[in-house]
Each structure stands twice: as C-alpha cells, then as structure tokens.
C-alpha cells in the first residue's frame, strides 16, 4: 500500500549497523558470534518489509500488535478496505510474510468471500461517490461529516394536470398560449380568449372577437396585467385583464398577426404580410416603425432579456436579429431549411440564441449574436415547434410535431437529453413557462393543455410551484 507509514527501504531491523543481520540469526552456528563494535555489519541479502501488503485477503495469521503507529496504519487500512470492498469482507488485519512451509500456493489462495471480488458488476459499479469515500462511515470516524452527493434529477414522465381546450387550432404559425408574470395563463380558442388563474384554477372569458374574426396570437406584457391579442384580420388589441376591458385597437398589418413580443412599453407584431411593426403603446400612432426583410410569414418573435435585440423567424427559413436603431436586420442566419418558429434567448449568457427548424429541418441551432457565430447544431428527429430556456438552471425544453409529437428537456451545452415526455396525440404547437420557472404548459391540436414539472426551483429558494393544489386533475378551460 502506498500510504503505509513504513518505508520498505529503511526498516530499522534490516539495516541498523549495531544489530546483527537476520541472515546470521537464522543460520545455525552463528548464534555465538559477536561482531566487533568498530566494524559495520552489512547483510548479504535484502529482506523487504511487507507491513503494507494486504495479505489478509489470503487468510494468513495475525502478527503481534507492537506499536501505536502500526495501530493507526491498521485502522486506516481497515477503513479504506471497507470503503473499497464493502463491510461484508470483514476487518483487515496487518499481514505477515507467508511461511514457505505452510504449503500455500497460487491454486489455494482465496479472497475472503466470493462476493468481494475487486471487479464488480451491476449495483456495485453504480455506487455514489459518498459510498466510496474512506470518511463516509460516521460510526468509525465520528469527527468527519460527508458532503452530500447530488443525485440525478428525476423529471416526471406524465403531466400533473390536463385542461381540455376545445377549438385550440392545429396551426404551426400561430402562438395561442402565454403565461404572465402574475401567474395567469392566456389561451386563444377560436374567436375567444380565456384566462386561467393558476393559483385558483379560476377561468375567465376575456373577450370574443365575433364570428368574422379569430385569435391568432396572445402575448403578456412583461410587467402588469396588459395582454396583447393578435387577430386573423391583421389587428392587435390591447386588453387590461384585471378589468376585462379593451384599452385600444392597433392596425397596420394587412394579414393575420401570428407573433407578438414585448419589450417594456414596446410591442412587436409579426404578420403573414411578411412585416414586423414596432408599436409604442404610449404613443398615439398605431406603430412607430416597420421592419422589413422576411420573404414570407413571420411566425416567431422574441426580445432578448436586455431588450436590445429582437430575433425573428419566418416561413422563409430565415432567422434575423434586429436592434432598436435600424429597420433592417443586423444579423441574418440562413442555415435552417424549414420555417423558423422556435426562438429562445438564454437568460444565463448574453447573446446566446437558440432557434429550431420545421419538418424539413428538425434541428436546434445555437448562435452567438455578440460575435456573429454559429455555435452548434442538434438534429432532434422531429419538427421543432417551440423552445424555452429555464431561468433556474442551464437547461432548455423543446416541443415537437411531425412525427413524434414529443417534449424534450435538454442540458446545455452538452445537449444531453434529461427527459423525453409524450402524451399529446397531435403536434405540440404551443408552449409557455410559469413565472417561477418550474412548470411548462404545452398545447396541441388534440385540444388539450398539459402541465409538466420539468425544471427545479431557483437555488436561492426552496419553494414549491405556485400552481394551487386544487388545479390537479383534468378540467375544461371554458
């Protein structure tokens, strides 16, 4: 053993010049020999010290205990052996040099028990690091307290709540679900918008656009109770949800408004007419600027967390990045080979942007908008419908359509799968995350909304999800 306190090259009984060598003591006829005091005696052969060798594995007899240093060495050896081979192998005792006359050979040497092999399979190979620590046994070393070992997080494979959402459209280019900072879920169903209060499961009908119009997008303001509603007639309505009152109606688009994104008091709307309109809700004008660049419908819009960059995705397979000072995109990414609806900015790293492509693409790509570089690409095997980043940990979740309709939780940057969730029978076209960052809600053409606990709570808080216990089960949203 490398940790033995005895150096085999400096044993005092072997090389002490005042002590006769063991060679002379073991040969008959030399017992009456007395060396001269002025003469140094050297042994004619080397006898190593085997005090650190683990011959206890061979069931050899015990040597006499002689010193406190050997006791401490034996205690450490016993503790280390228990940590490595388990307590079922018995205690370890200091070894002795085997006697040649004992008749032991390689064929009758046995380890203490058959289940104490050095190389193990199955459960033994999956022991935690704490179980392998020599200081992991409190009853042997009371002064030490092992540090807890972080286990892999388990993501429930089933939704904890399902809401029936009749008339939830099966349209890839719409965005009909959003979750507010006040824990209220807005859902567009046909021509109506419904509000589901997560803390109480109370459902409120906010508005009805009538038989000549329908809801194509919803988007909550970052703070407050204002909800923007995009319509199939190209209008954007602004509602005060606390009073269920419409504040104003803004025009400017010629076709349906399928994407909305807030940046403080600025509201961006993307339309099937290929344009993006910037609206300052404090101004009297319907919009203050128009962003042109996409060659097809704008179906994805997301502002960065610092409100300096706007990312847009379109049915032209393009991903653009805009700033506050230009009506032309400052960055253009053309690597996707299908429509780009799924867009998510990282809350952990400035300028990190994720985007997902449609059925002909199936890839999630990562971009550094600060350096204008393409970082990586992951082929998911299915149409990427939505992306959202966890604000509590460096993970993200994606929802998918053709052909597997799955939900995948990823660990970034390795892009290893933490969980794959299934349950929807149609494309998972809609996705929103709770204000506490722990729960996601997904919507699909199967006319259901499903709630999943996928992310851990913030490290600074050990709180449960804010969704009330009364919300568990399956209910109807209207």
């Amino acid at each position: 053993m490398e940790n033995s306190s005895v150096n085999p090259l400096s044993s005092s009984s072997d090389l002490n010049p005042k002590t006769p060598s063991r060679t002379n003591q073991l040969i008959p006829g030399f017992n009456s020999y007395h060396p001269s005091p002025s003469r140094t005696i050297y042994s004619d052969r080397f006898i190593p010290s085997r005090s650190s060798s683990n011959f206890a594995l061979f069931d050899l007899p015990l040597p006499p205990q002689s010193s406190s240093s050997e006791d401490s060495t034996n205690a450490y050896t016993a503790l280390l052996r228990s940590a490595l081979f388990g307590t079922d192998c018995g205690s370890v005792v200091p070894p002795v040099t085997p006697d040649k006359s004992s008749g032991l050979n390689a064929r009758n040497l046995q380890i203490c028990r058959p289940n104490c092999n050095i190389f193990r399979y199955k459960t033994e190979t999956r022991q935690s690091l704490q179980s392998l620590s020599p200081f992991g046994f409190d009853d042997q070393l009371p002064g030490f307290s092992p540090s807890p070992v972080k286990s892999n997080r388990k993501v429930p494979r089933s939704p904890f709540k399902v809401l029936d959402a009749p008339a939830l459209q099966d349209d890839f280019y719409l965005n009909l679900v959003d979750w507010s900072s006040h824990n209220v879920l807005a859902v567009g169903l046909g021509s109506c918008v419904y509000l589901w209060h997560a803390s109480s499961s109370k459902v409120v009908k906010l508005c009805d656009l009538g038989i000549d119009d329908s809801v194509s997008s919803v988007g909550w303001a970052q703070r407050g109770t204002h909800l923007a509603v995009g319509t199939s007639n190209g209008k954007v309505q602004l509602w005060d949800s606390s009073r269920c009152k419409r504040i104003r109606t803004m025009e400017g688009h010629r076709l349906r408004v399928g994407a909305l994104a807030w940046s403080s008091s600025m509201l961006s709307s993307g339309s099937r007419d290929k344009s993006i309109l910037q609206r300052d809700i404090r101004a009297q004008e319907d919009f203050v600027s128009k962003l042109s660049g996409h060659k097809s419908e704008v179906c994805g819009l997301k502002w960065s967390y610092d409100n300096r960059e706007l990312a847009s995705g379109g049915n032209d397979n393009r991903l653009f990045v805009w700033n506050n000072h230009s009506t032309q995109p400052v960055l253009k990414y053309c690597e996707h080979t299908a429509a780009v609806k799924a867009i998510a900015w990282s809350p952990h790293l400035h300028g990190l942007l994720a985007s997902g492509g449609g059925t002909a693409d199936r890839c999630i790509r990562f971009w550094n908008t600060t350096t204008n570089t393409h970082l990586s690409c992951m082929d998911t095997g299915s149409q990427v419908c939505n992306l959202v980043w966890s604000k509590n940990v460096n993970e993200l979740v994606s929802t998918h359509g053709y052909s597997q309709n799955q939900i995948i939780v990823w660990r970034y940057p390795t892009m290893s799968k933490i969980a794959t969730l299934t349950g929807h029978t149609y494309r998972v076209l809609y996705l929103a995350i709770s204000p506490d960052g722990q729960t996601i809600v997904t919507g699909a053409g199967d006319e259901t909304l499903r709630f999943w606990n996928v992310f851990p709570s913030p490290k600074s808080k050990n709180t449960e999800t804010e969704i009330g216990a009364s919300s568990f089960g399956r209910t109807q949203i209207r």
Side-chain angles (χ1 to χ4, degrees):
M1 222 181 202
E2 293 181 0
N3 291 333
S4 173
S5 60
V6 180
N7 188 340
L9 299 180
S10 60
S11 175
S12 59
S13 61
D14 290 342
L15 299 181
N16 191 332
K18 296 183 180 181
T19 304
S21 68
R22 287 185 180 178
T23 305
N24 294 339
Q25 293 179 355
L26 295 177
I27 298 178
F30 279 81
N31 294 333
S32 60
Y33 175 76
H34 298 283
S36 171
S38 61
R39 182 179 177 184
T40 302
I41 303 299
Y42 297 95
S43 62
D44 59 351
R45 73 186 179 102
F46 168 67
I47 301 178
S49 170
R50 294 185 173 89
S51 61
S52 61
S53 302
N54 199 352
F55 285 101
L57 295 175
F58 308 141
D59 288 335
L60 296 177
L62 300 177
Q65 304 295 326
S66 59
S67 65
S68 60
S69 63
E70 291 179 354
D71 292 340
S72 62
T73 301
N74 296 337
Y76 176 82
T77 303
L79 183 59
L80 184 59
R81 173 178 171 77
S82 297
L84 295 176
F85 301 105
T87 56
D88 56 342
C89 290
S91 60
V92 178
V93 295
V96 296
T97 304
D99 189 355
K100 293 181 180 179
S101 63
S102 63
L104 294 177
N105 54 45
R107 287 177 296 183
N108 58 18
L109 291 179
Q110 295 181 356
I111 299 179
C112 60
R113 290 195 182 131
N115 62 346
C116 294
N117 295 331
I118 295 177
F119 300 103
R120 301 185 180 193
Y121 296 92
K122 296 181 181 178
T123 57
E124 286 80 3
T125 62
R126 306 175 73 90
Q127 293 182 14
S128 65
L129 294 177
Q130 180 179 356
S131 66
L132 295 178
S133 170
F135 306 110
F137 305 94
D138 295 336
D139 56 336
Q140 297 186 23
L141 290 178
F144 292 92
S145 58
S147 58
V149 177
K150 185 177 180 180
S151 59
N152 291 330
R153 180 167 53 85
K154 301 297 182 182
V155 176
R157 294 302 195 269
S158 300
F160 66 87
K161 182 173 181 61
V162 178
L163 289 178
D164 288 324
L168 184 62
Q169 296 189 56
D170 183 28
D171 193 325
F172 176 82
Y173 301 99
L174 306 186
N175 292 274
L176 298 175
V177 177
D178 198 21
W179 208 327
S180 78
S181 60
H182 289 262
N183 208 17
V184 179
L185 188 70
V187 184
L189 300 178
S191 62
C192 301
V193 175
Y194 291 87
L195 305 180
W196 182 77
H197 295 260
S199 57
S200 63
S201 292
K202 181 181 178 181
V203 178
V204 176
K205 182 178 180 179
L206 180 67
C207 65
D208 188 341
L209 303 180
I211 59 175
D212 296 329
D213 206 351
S214 62
V215 180
S216 53
S217 57
V218 294
W220 286 102
Q222 294 170 339
R223 298 178 180 85
T225 58
H226 291 165
L227 177 70
V229 179
T231 75
S232 60
N233 287 339
K235 297 180 175 61
V236 176
Q237 297 183 1
L238 190 61
W239 287 78
D240 185 346
S241 64
S242 62
R243 298 182 296 163
C244 289
K245 181 179 180 180
R246 186 175 62 186
I247 299 175
R248 62 184 297 186
T249 299
M250 295 171 283
E251 300 183 355
H253 289 297
R254 296 178 289 105
L255 300 173
R256 70 181 181 186
V257 180
L260 295 168
W262 284 88
S263 171
S264 186
S265 61
M266 186 71 68
L267 173 62
S268 304
S269 59
S271 171
R272 197 172 191 174
D273 64 10
K274 310 173 188 176
S275 68
I276 301 172
L277 296 182
Q278 302 284 56
R279 310 173 187 270
D280 190 338
I281 62 174
R282 299 168 300 181
Q284 293 183 352
E285 297 82 8
D286 285 342
F287 60 94
V288 295
S289 63
K290 182 177 181 179
L291 309 183
S292 301
H294 284 286
K295 304 301 181 183
S296 188
E297 180 172 9
V298 179
C299 51
L301 277 180
K302 286 291 169 59
W303 277 97
S304 62
Y305 282 87
D306 59 6
N307 293 326
R308 294 183 178 181
E309 294 178 304
L310 174 66
S312 66
N315 197 29
D316 55 1
N317 309 344
R318 300 293 187 263
L319 173 67
F320 293 159
V321 178
W322 318 72
N323 61 24
N324 292 316
H325 311 292
S326 176
T327 57
Q328 295 295 319
V330 294
L331 299 176
K332 297 181 180 182
Y333 300 120
C334 306
E335 280 77 1
H336 285 292
T337 58
V340 181
K341 177 192 178 186
I343 300 173
W345 292 93
S346 169
H348 310 289
L349 185 61
H350 174 71
L352 177 57
L353 176 64
S355 61
T359 307
D361 184 86
R362 306 184 308 272
C363 292
I364 299 175
R365 297 179 182 271
F366 296 91
W367 318 86
N368 186 334
T369 61
T370 303
T371 60
N372 191 22
T373 54
H374 180 209
L375 300 177
S376 61
C377 175
M378 169 62 68
D379 190 340
T380 67
S382 291
Q383 175 189 39
V384 184
C385 301
N386 294 279
L387 289 169
V388 67
W389 222 293
S390 168
K391 60 183 180 182
N392 301 335
V393 291
N394 199 13
E395 299 171 1
L396 69 159
V397 62
S398 59
T399 69
H400 300 268
Y402 302 126
S403 58
Q404 300 182 38
N405 306 328
Q406 77 272 43
I407 303 160
I408 304 178
V409 184
W410 307 88
R411 181 178 288 109
Y412 188 82
T414 61
M415 290 305 287
S416 57
K417 291 183 181 180
I418 299 176
T420 299
L421 311 176
T422 57
H424 284 291
T425 56
Y426 281 65
R427 297 179 296 174
V428 189
L429 298 176
Y430 310 111
L431 172 66
I433 189 168
S434 63
D436 65 7
Q438 301 181 58
T439 303
I440 62 169
V441 59
T442 56
D446 57 13
E447 299 185 342
T448 64
L449 297 173
R450 297 172 185 262
F451 295 79
W452 317 77
N453 283 323
V454 296
F455 294 130
S457 61
K459 294 182 179 179
S460 58
K461 300 178 182 179
N462 190 18
T463 57
E464 299 296 331
T465 178
E466 297 180 13
I467 299 179
S470 62
S471 66
F472 285 72
R474 180 162 184 155
T475 57
Q476 189 167 314
I477 200 170
R478 68 173 184 181

